[in-house]
Amino acid sequence: MAACRGPRDGREDIPEGKRMGLKPLWDKLRTLQSHFNWCLEPKDDVRDILNMVALKAEHSASHNRGVYLALQAYLQQVQGNYLEALDSLREAETRLKEDHPDNFSRQVLLVYGNYAWIYYRLVKYEMVDIYLFEISDICQSLSSPEPYSVEIPEIHAQKGWSLLALGFQNGEEATECFQTALRGDESNPDFQAGLAISVFASWTHTSKLHLWEKSGRLLEEIACRQPRNYEVKVHLANLLERNMDRQRSTELALDIAENSLNPEDLQNAAMLCKKDLLPRAIDILRKAIGLAPDYHLLHYDLGLCYKTQLEGAGPEERGEIWVVAIKSFQRALEIDPRSVFSRLELAQLYSEEIPLYAEEIYVNLQQELPMASKRGQQAIYLHWGDFLLHRKGMRLEALLLYQAGYLVAGGHVREWQLLRERLKELAWKFEEHSEMDRAEAAMRILRRNPEFPK
């Protein structure tokens, strides 16, 4: 407990009434503002999310390092790593003291709530009592009607950042969190940035016109007022790129690449440069890898850049580029051996030169299908179907795989759209070969399932 500010090392100083209370510990814990009580359900592999959250905690330029470390602790305990989770919470306290010296007590409630829950899971009830006492003390000082919970802007914003870190599919709920936070502190720049990013996140998963307009306006305003907020600039550049303002998008991406030291920002900037400035994108990713060499997605994206470079390369260059692309995806797999997408990219590269290796990868992935994320399952069906169709001419087998992937619920809209296109294209191929029953089978599933299954 050496790194802990508020809790004491024993229970003797806590009044008996405070220590024991009238409710069982479980009932008190359920009222806390904590990641444990926010019904957070990671859609992707917890390890992938942990990697991303750790990156945010280390490199975030905003005042959210404590939030990300608290979320990291929650995810670590999901994996059963309680001691690592406690270490993360101690580090979160340290970061909060550095980043929020003037309102530490308002910021630390989330951390104390996570402490209490983890110690409860470890059956260290005396420590649970200590943190409950500290939380109660803070709530009382803030005039909260509840003994272990308080409605303050900081808490709503922390929940918003946590939801965004778990995925942009949570954009709508995160938007509500930041709107509530801003009602209590309308001039807070972090809350304003959080709202802009949340609305953008909502748009990426719904494509609703009013969200596109609102996110563009909010991101522009924040980028103007906070010129060093490169996370906001990344999303603004992404929005502009999707709206075909490629020149301004590229200008923003190059600004980010020049000035940001956040590997995640650099990764996104590289992907924005990939289409028109491929060599620059490769340089940006190398810079990011220098900052975070063990972040597997940087190596993965570098492999994607080499793969794109391969498409336009002459015969004398192809061999060398193919090798560095393979090595990039293999490095990503060394760091994260269970990465479905790195293996799928390797399979695509091998399908050109060593098809037997590609088939081996697809067979292994199909065996591991139940353990993959929903998006991973979609991607496996998609790429395996492509291989059978284009490399082996097996139209019926490809149809069955595309159908299975198309019906995966809870996946990602991008893969769903690709699978939908594949089914349409395959229906046309069946018609060309007068295989009308199979063409109808492909179209029937599209008619019956016209909407993305959430």
Side-chain angles (χ1 to χ4, degrees):
M1 293 298 298
C4 184
R5 179 197 71 89
R8 305 160 184 55
D9 291 328
R11 299 177 69 192
E12 62 277 7
D13 297 330
I14 303 176
E16 182 67 16
K18 288 279 189 181
R19 184 167 74 242
M20 299 303 296
L22 298 174
K23 289 184 176 182
L25 291 178
W26 176 264
D27 290 340
K28 295 176 183 178
L29 289 170
R30 290 174 65 187
T31 69
L32 300 179
Q33 298 286 6
S34 164
H35 286 117
F36 289 78
N37 292 335
W38 286 344
C39 300
L40 303 177
E41 297 181 4
K43 293 272 186 177
D44 298 316
D45 191 301
V46 171
R47 293 170 310 119
D48 291 339
I49 299 172
L50 259 174
N51 288 336
M52 179 67 73
V53 170
L55 199 71
K56 288 178 178 291
E58 183 176 355
H59 296 281
S60 176
S62 66
H63 291 170
N64 298 323
R65 293 183 299 174
V67 181
Y68 295 137
L69 286 163
L71 178 59
Q72 178 174 289
Y74 170 74
L75 295 169
Q76 286 167 330
Q77 69 79 35
V78 168
Q79 294 184 312
N81 298 323
Y82 292 101
L83 295 181
E84 289 182 14
L86 290 172
D87 286 340
S88 294
L89 290 177
R90 294 184 187 105
E91 188 178 352
E93 284 187 277
T94 300
R95 299 304 183 194
L96 287 174
K97 288 176 184 176
E98 294 172 355
D99 295 343
H100 302 277
D102 297 330
N103 68 341
F104 173 77
S105 62
R106 296 168 69 95
Q107 295 282 345
V108 82
L109 280 168
L110 173 65
V111 174
Y112 285 177
N114 284 8
Y115 263 130
W117 266 112
I118 290 174
Y119 279 123
Y120 186 83
R121 298 276 171 86
L122 292 171
V123 198
K124 293 189 175 182
Y125 295 153
E126 68 283 0
M127 297 302 298
V128 178
D129 265 338
I130 288 172
Y131 281 101
L132 287 175
F133 175 72
E134 291 297 328
I135 292 167
S136 177
D137 231 18
I138 295 172
C139 291
Q140 185 176 0
S141 72
L142 296 172
S143 302
S144 173
E146 299 293 331
Y148 302 107
S149 180
V150 61
E151 295 291 326
I152 54 176
E154 291 85 352
I155 291 291
H156 293 289
Q158 288 174 336
K159 184 177 181 181
W161 290 119
S162 300
L163 287 164
L164 289 175
L166 291 177
F168 271 17
Q169 73 274 4
N170 299 315
E172 187 175 349
E173 190 177 353
T175 297
E176 294 174 5
C177 291
F178 287 112
Q179 287 172 335
T180 304
L182 283 164
R183 282 196 286 272
D185 186 359
E186 62 181 13
S187 62
N188 187 296
D190 282 343
F191 301 172
Q192 292 169 348
L195 178 62
I197 295 170
S198 297
V199 175
F200 173 75
S202 299
W203 173 72
T204 62
H205 277 259
T206 63
S207 299
K208 292 180 179 177
L209 179 61
H210 76 280
L211 291 175
W212 165 69
E213 294 171 341
K214 185 176 181 180
S215 64
R217 174 174 54 80
L218 291 173
L219 289 169
E220 288 279 14
E221 290 174 0
I222 302 302
C224 182
R225 289 201 298 264
Q226 303 176 31
R228 298 183 66 183
N229 191 328
Y230 298 111
E231 182 179 6
V232 164
K233 284 188 172 182
V234 159
H235 299 310
L236 177 57
N238 204 322
L239 186 72
L240 292 167
E241 196 267 343
R242 296 190 194 198
N243 293 327
M244 305 308 293
D245 190 350
R246 196 162 290 149
Q247 180 178 347
R248 180 134 184 269
S249 174
T250 301
E251 289 172 358
L252 283 169
L254 292 174
D255 173 33
I256 294 159
E258 185 68 28
N259 296 295
S260 177
L261 293 177
N262 185 325
E264 188 181 2
D265 292 342
L266 294 172
Q267 176 191 16
N268 289 319
M271 291 299 98
L272 288 164
C273 291
K274 180 172 168 247
K275 186 168 186 178
D276 296 326
L277 299 170
L278 185 56
R280 184 74 176 102
I282 290 172
D283 289 341
I284 296 168
L285 284 169
R286 286 172 176 162
K287 175 182 175 181
I289 288 171
L291 294 166
D294 294 330
Y295 184 43
H296 77 282
L297 287 180
L298 297 176
H299 298 277
Y300 174 84
D301 283 348
L302 184 60
L304 291 181
C305 286
Y306 287 132
K307 188 178 167 190
T308 301
Q309 201 173 46
L310 193 62
E311 295 170 4
E316 68 283 355
E317 302 170 310
R318 287 185 61 82
E320 183 179 348
I321 297 172
W322 187 85
V323 168
V324 292
I326 290 284
K327 286 183 177 179
S328 293
F329 291 123
Q330 287 176 335
R331 178 59 186 143
L333 273 173
E334 287 172 0
I335 300 169
D336 183 12
R338 291 178 59 187
S339 172
V340 166
F341 292 93
S342 294
R343 282 186 281 175
L344 286 172
E345 293 298 337
L346 277 171
Q348 279 196 325
L349 286 169
Y350 280 132
S351 67
E352 298 180 11
E353 304 291 336
I354 317 174
L356 283 175
Y357 284 7
E359 190 161 359
E360 191 79 20
I361 292 172
Y362 287 127
V363 170
N364 287 333
L365 282 171
Q366 202 160 25
Q367 291 173 348
E368 299 171 24
L369 193 67
M371 296 177 288
S373 69
K374 296 300 183 182
R375 186 175 189 179
Q377 291 177 20
Q378 290 175 307
I380 291 168
Y381 284 124
L382 174 68
H383 289 274
W384 186 210
D386 287 349
F387 179 81
L388 293 181
L389 179 63
H390 299 298
R391 297 292 171 181
K392 295 200 159 191
M394 300 170 69
R395 290 191 295 274
L396 177 59
E397 290 79 0
L399 171 63
L400 296 175
L401 289 170
Y402 292 152
Q403 287 176 328
Y406 186 72
L407 294 175
V408 171
H412 195 279
V413 67
R414 181 177 179 274
E415 274 70 22
W416 180 81
Q417 290 170 339
L418 289 171
L419 286 157
R420 186 175 178 83
E421 290 303 314
R422 295 296 199 280
L423 285 168
K424 288 180 182 178
E425 293 167 6
L426 198 51
W428 296 332
K429 285 183 181 292
F430 283 132
E431 287 182 2
E432 288 175 359
H433 290 81
S434 300
E435 298 176 80
M436 305 311 293
D437 289 346
R438 292 176 179 179
E440 174 58 24
M443 295 306 297
R444 189 185 306 121
I445 196 170
L446 294 174
R447 290 194 299 269
R448 289 181 179 175
N449 302 272
E451 301 294 330
F452 174 58
K454 297 182 180 179

